[in-house]
Amino acid sequence: MAVDTTTKPEGFVGEFDGDINANDNLPSRKDLEKVAELPVLDVNGKPHTFKSLYASVKNETSRVLFIFIRHFFCGVGSLLPTLPFHKVTDPSFDQNCQEYLRSLSTSITPDALQAFPTPTKIIVIGCGQPELIPMYTQETKCPYPIYADPSKKLYAQLGMIRTLNLGPKSPQYMQYSLPSAMVRSIYQALKAGRGAFKGGDYWQVGAEFLFENGHVTWCHRMKNTRDHAEVPEIRRQLGLDGAKPPSRKTFSSGIRRSSSQLQRRLSDRRMSWSRSRDRAEKSSPEGSMMEKLKEDKGGEEAGEQASKEEGQVKATLVAATGSVALAILGEASVESSARISALSKSFLLPRLIPAPQALIRASRPERLEPANAKVVGAYSGGQRDRVNYIAHLLHDGDSLRPYSVRCEKITKEDLPPVKAKSFGPTTLLAFLGCAMSIALLALSIHEQDGMALLATILLSLLSTLVGVGSQWTLVLSQRRATRPVPCSDVVINYPNGAFLVIKCGEEVARSLYWSPEECVYDRSPRWYRLISLLGTLMLMFGVICLGNAELNVQLGFAASYIILNAAYWVVAALPQRWNWDLRCYKTERQYYRQGEENDRFTTAMWKAIAISGTTKWVRLAGIAPVSEAWDKWLDKAAEVIEKEPCWQDEEGFHVLPDWDPEKYLDEVHGHKGELEKERFDSFGNSMV
């Protein structure tokens, strides 16, 4: 034949606007001589010459109809034209070869073929591997012999072409709906596991050839992926056009039974509890494997082999359970870095993450989590019961020891605003997860495991999908008014008795301490809820596929999640400041000759008062107890700092006034005690 099946058209391979110009010319004698000795493989992988399938043996079979089909997953392959880089004028998905054989098997049965005066056979040949023939036979219920030509030499020599074009219309033999055919095709490929990559050339289309006494008397070559000869045409060529073809049973007709029939069937199938238990044991994976091996081999050899296979099944089940459990553990470590990660573009990388359900929430927080502390304006009188997250992070408030006092001066620099670091610990986590995804993707392809491949894709793209819905921008409040304001120094009193005195201007005070940070999300709440729903479905299907993957790939997933969990916990233990770019705020720590550490709260409060230069904030915030003695103490402290303010020595240290706050407080409390005793005594004398 003069048809070139190796050359490809310009542009994307197999992209055509119409049917391919494939003719139905009969193969010549020379063509048949070329293909006569070409091998085809049976279900066991045993080779047979093509001629042996149609040659007459003792005048028995003299007519053979060969049906050359596409790949063994015909329907999955046709999903390829829907890729963005491929033009498609018809959005249909096809499962045409399987549907074709189902319709043909119903219309032309083996008994009908044997009823001919000249016995006739129908033989099916596919371009995949022979190990998929049992699956294909089961799916199509095909009663005809099926062979495989993985080399595709027969296809080429007999003039069959390669294309992915769907053709202008759907054939009559397609009886399944579009969604049903698509789901069935994908399910078959996933169920086949490693065999999903052995179905054959997705581009190859087939043909029909009728051999009579070693010669071809009729043929039809497919011009697109849905161009098999219609069943009525096959019947006409075989001489069955006078008989009415039987109607094909569909799924709906198979379930139409009356209630009385169902009751009778159920009553006939009742059995004792013990027989039900035996049947359940035999129907389990381990039980069915034992029964099959005992029937095939028998004796001790079957028992040993069955035990070995049973151990492999149990190992696979354990690995599946372990890998799925590892995939959903570690929520706390993921949540600790989720907010800062969503600020970075690396959050959109397709990657594996432990416990991805931690990122799928019903709602998103509008504010960053503040720290528990009293914030007081030293002169402005402003008060808050929480310190903003960025301010707490900037001053490293968690590092303050009990009763310590620290003073810092902070100014705003002309640099980009607060954001996530381009290459922080969370960025490294994103790259590590992406590397794990690439490794598992390669392992799934190497193992030819369709379930593992789908699990890797779903669980990796889940992080990207959630990242799209969680992307946000940090907005800090800015002062717009230009009128003069009081000194904007701020004092923060932490629950452990520590004080932090901040020397700053009004712009810094407003953005860091008085106005809460805002989280402005890129997607609206409605879009976020939709993305969360899709993410939940992806997570569920990804976990299901992971549980059905091969043992080697599941072990790879388990190792990846162990490494990722450890990495996330390490990053969670690191200071959160390492993930943030805070260069726009310059902090200068001021040191005092008396030091920062203190033993008592009174001394710590006195140092904070001396550094700030006022006692107003103590009274406003109610930090000191409300009593006559403490009022005197505060009055004395204000008097001391007014007479002797802080000063700086030659070495650059700040020096506080020389006053003993503890001694004076004891004196005030002692004097108050004597007054109370005198009042009590005078009251007692008056009663006498």
Side-chain angles (χ1 to χ4, degrees):
M1 302 299 297
V3 178
D4 184 3
T5 63
T6 60
T7 59
K8 301 174 183 178
E10 295 181 1
F12 186 70
V13 180
E15 184 176 341
F16 302 108
D17 295 330
D19 289 344
I20 306 304
N21 186 18
N23 59 58
D24 293 337
N25 297 336
L26 300 182
S28 65
R29 181 179 297 274
K30 185 178 295 186
D31 294 328
L32 295 181
E33 290 176 356
K34 292 180 181 179
V35 301
E37 300 301 323
L38 292 179
V40 291
L41 307 178
D42 62 17
V43 66
N44 299 315
K46 182 180 178 181
H48 303 266
T49 62
F50 181 59
K51 184 177 181 179
S52 67
L53 302 183
Y54 63 80
S56 301
V57 180
K58 296 182 180 179
N59 295 326
E60 289 183 357
T61 303
S62 59
R63 275 205 317 178
V64 179
L65 175 64
F66 286 98
I67 299 176
F68 287 84
I69 60 173
R70 300 180 64 222
H71 57 90
F72 285 128
F73 296 109
C74 184
V76 180
S78 56
L79 295 177
L80 293 176
T82 64
L83 294 173
F85 49 78
H86 197 285
K87 301 176 185 176
V88 179
T89 56
D90 188 343
S92 301
F93 295 84
D94 69 295
Q95 197 175 9
N96 68 84
C97 292
Q98 294 188 14
E99 277 292 276
Y100 183 67
L101 288 183
R102 292 187 188 101
S103 298
L104 190 65
S105 301
T106 302
S107 178
I108 306 175
T109 64
D111 291 339
L113 295 177
Q114 293 301 324
F116 280 106
T118 302
T120 304
K121 283 185 180 180
I122 295 179
I123 295 178
V124 179
I125 298 179
C127 62
Q129 296 296 329
E131 59 197 72
L132 292 180
I133 293 178
M135 179 278 298
Y136 197 76
T137 303
Q138 180 181 2
E139 291 294 336
T140 60
K141 301 296 186 292
C142 178
Y144 317 129
I146 301 179
Y147 293 85
D149 176 24
S151 68
K152 299 183 298 178
K153 292 182 179 180
L154 273 176
Y155 286 80
Q157 292 294 335
L158 292 177
M160 287 167 270
I161 62 173
R162 298 176 72 246
T163 180
L164 281 180
N165 181 257
L166 297 174
K169 62 180 181 179
S170 179
Q172 298 178 7
Y173 53 79
M174 290 290 293
Q175 298 191 20
Y176 277 102
S177 65
L178 170 61
S180 175
M182 180 178 64
V183 171
R184 286 168 62 90
S185 300
I186 296 176
Y187 174 73
Q188 289 174 20
L190 294 177
K191 188 172 67 173
R194 298 185 181 185
F197 298 92
K198 301 180 180 180
D201 185 0
Y202 283 34
W203 295 81
Q204 185 66 60
V205 296
E208 295 81 36
F209 294 87
L210 180 59
F211 280 72
E212 295 190 24
N213 297 323
H215 302 283
V216 179
T217 59
W218 172 84
C219 76
H220 168 263
R221 295 181 182 88
M222 296 174 65
K223 299 177 179 62
N224 55 64
T225 61
R226 302 184 299 178
D227 191 35
H228 278 290
E230 292 285 1
V231 175
E233 174 64 16
I234 296 294
R235 292 178 60 85
R236 190 179 69 82
Q237 292 296 333
L238 294 179
L240 290 172
D241 53 340
K244 182 180 179 181
S247 60
R248 176 183 164 191
K249 294 182 180 180
T250 61
F251 176 76
S252 59
S253 63
I255 61 173
R256 292 171 186 166
R257 301 185 181 94
S258 64
S259 59
S260 60
Q261 289 175 322
L262 288 174
Q263 292 290 341
R264 184 167 59 254
R265 287 178 63 109
L266 290 172
S267 63
D268 293 340
R269 291 172 65 93
R270 290 195 183 99
M271 55 177 57
S272 66
W273 178 86
S274 60
R275 291 179 62 190
S276 299
R277 182 186 59 186
D278 294 340
R279 184 178 64 178
E281 291 177 354
K282 290 182 180 181
S283 63
S284 65
E286 296 88 345
S288 60
M289 190 178 300
M290 293 282 290
E291 291 297 323
K292 181 178 179 181
L293 288 173
K294 287 180 180 179
E295 290 176 2
D296 293 344
K297 296 185 178 180
E300 296 181 357
E301 182 181 355
E304 293 176 359
Q305 183 66 17
S307 300
K308 181 179 179 181
E309 297 289 343
E310 183 179 357
Q312 292 178 354
V313 170
K314 291 182 177 179
T316 302
L317 293 176
V318 171
T321 304
S323 59
V324 170
L326 288 170
I328 60 176
L329 292 178
E331 284 191 45
S333 61
V334 174
E335 286 180 346
S336 66
S337 60
R339 298 302 304 281
I340 177 62
S341 298
L343 270 177
S344 174
K345 297 299 183 183
S346 62
F347 199 59
L348 299 176
L349 275 176
R351 68 196 187 282
L352 281 187
I353 52 175
Q357 70 275 8
L359 304 179
I360 305 174
R361 304 170 181 171
S363 61
R364 300 169 295 188
E366 300 297 329
R367 301 283 187 270
L368 294 175
E369 186 67 26
N372 187 21
K374 280 189 176 182
V375 182
V376 190
Y379 296 92
S380 66
Q383 296 183 54
R384 291 192 66 197
D385 292 330
R386 297 286 189 272
V387 56
N388 287 342
Y389 179 85
I390 297 298
H392 182 69
L393 204 66
L394 187 65
H395 299 297
D396 196 12
D398 291 330
S399 66
L400 287 171
R401 298 173 61 84
Y403 307 134
S404 62
V405 180
R406 182 188 301 169
C407 180
E408 293 182 352
K409 182 180 179 180
I410 181 169
T411 55
K412 184 77 165 58
E413 299 290 320
D414 188 16
L415 290 171
V418 176
K419 61 179 181 178
K421 281 187 177 180
S422 300
F423 293 98
T426 55
T427 308
L428 297 179
L429 284 180
F431 288 133
L432 177 62
C434 185
M436 292 294 182
S437 293
I438 294 173
L440 289 173
L441 194 67
L443 178 61
S444 301
I445 295 175
H446 178 268
E447 295 291 330
Q448 298 184 353
D449 189 343
M451 281 292 186
L453 182 64
L454 191 58
T456 305
I457 294 174
L458 288 174
L459 295 177
S460 299
L461 291 181
L462 172 61
S463 60
T464 301
L465 181 66
V466 175
V468 171
S470 302
Q471 282 264 291
W472 62 288
T473 304
L474 178 64
V475 176
L476 300 179
S477 177
Q478 302 294 328
R479 183 173 183 263
R480 295 184 176 88
T482 58
R483 59 180 176 271
V485 293
C487 179
S488 301
D489 292 355
V490 175
V491 180
I492 302 176
N493 176 213
Y494 284 93
N496 63 354
F499 288 88
L500 182 61
V501 182
I502 298 103
K503 306 282 187 178
C504 63
E506 175 62 17
E507 181 182 357
V508 173
R510 182 178 296 273
S511 61
L512 289 180
Y513 309 107
W514 302 128
S515 299
E517 307 103 338
E518 291 186 43
C519 302
V520 180
Y521 290 95
D522 297 349
R523 305 289 178 271
S524 66
R526 179 177 299 178
W527 276 107
Y528 174 75
R529 287 191 290 271
L530 177 60
I531 290 173
S532 296
L533 173 61
L534 295 177
T536 302
L537 295 177
M538 289 178 67
L539 176 60
M540 291 190 296
F541 283 112
V543 170
I544 292 172
C545 292
L546 175 57
N548 289 276
E550 295 290 337
L551 177 60
N552 291 340
V553 184
Q554 286 184 357
L555 293 176
F557 268 97
S560 299
Y561 279 120
I562 289 174
I563 295 173
L564 287 173
N565 265 294
Y568 271 83
W569 277 112
V570 169
V571 171
L574 297 176
Q576 285 295 311
R577 184 169 179 171
W578 291 12
N579 296 310
W580 290 86
D581 184 357
L582 304 172
R583 292 176 298 168
C584 61
Y585 291 104
K586 181 181 178 181
T587 57
E588 298 178 13
R589 192 164 174 176
Q590 298 185 352
Y591 294 93
Y592 288 81
R593 181 65 67 181
Q594 287 83 351
E596 296 181 350
E597 302 297 328
N598 305 285
D599 296 332
R600 296 187 180 183
F601 178 76
T602 305
T603 305
M605 185 169 60
W606 156 245
K607 285 186 177 180
I609 291 172
I611 294 172
S612 63
T614 179
T615 59
K616 293 180 180 179
W617 58 271
V618 180
R619 299 179 186 275
L620 289 173
I623 295 177
V626 179
S627 67
E628 184 179 347
W630 275 101
D631 288 342
K632 289 184 177 181
W633 186 91
L634 289 173
D635 291 339
K636 183 63 176 178
E639 180 183 342
V640 171
I641 60 176
E642 184 178 356
K643 291 181 179 180
E644 187 183 353
C646 295
W647 56 282
Q648 190 173 7
D649 61 16
E650 295 179 355
E651 297 180 2
F653 286 95
H654 295 269
V655 181
L656 301 179
D658 186 14
W659 183 59
D660 189 347
E662 296 287 347
K663 181 179 179 181
Y664 185 79
L665 185 62
D666 291 339
E667 292 177 359
V668 173
H669 277 94
H671 178 65
K672 181 182 177 183
E674 292 178 359
L675 293 176
E676 292 293 336
K677 185 176 182 301
E678 291 178 1
R679 291 176 183 175
F680 181 77
D681 291 341
S682 62
F683 177 75
N685 292 333
S686 64
M687 292 295 292
V688 175

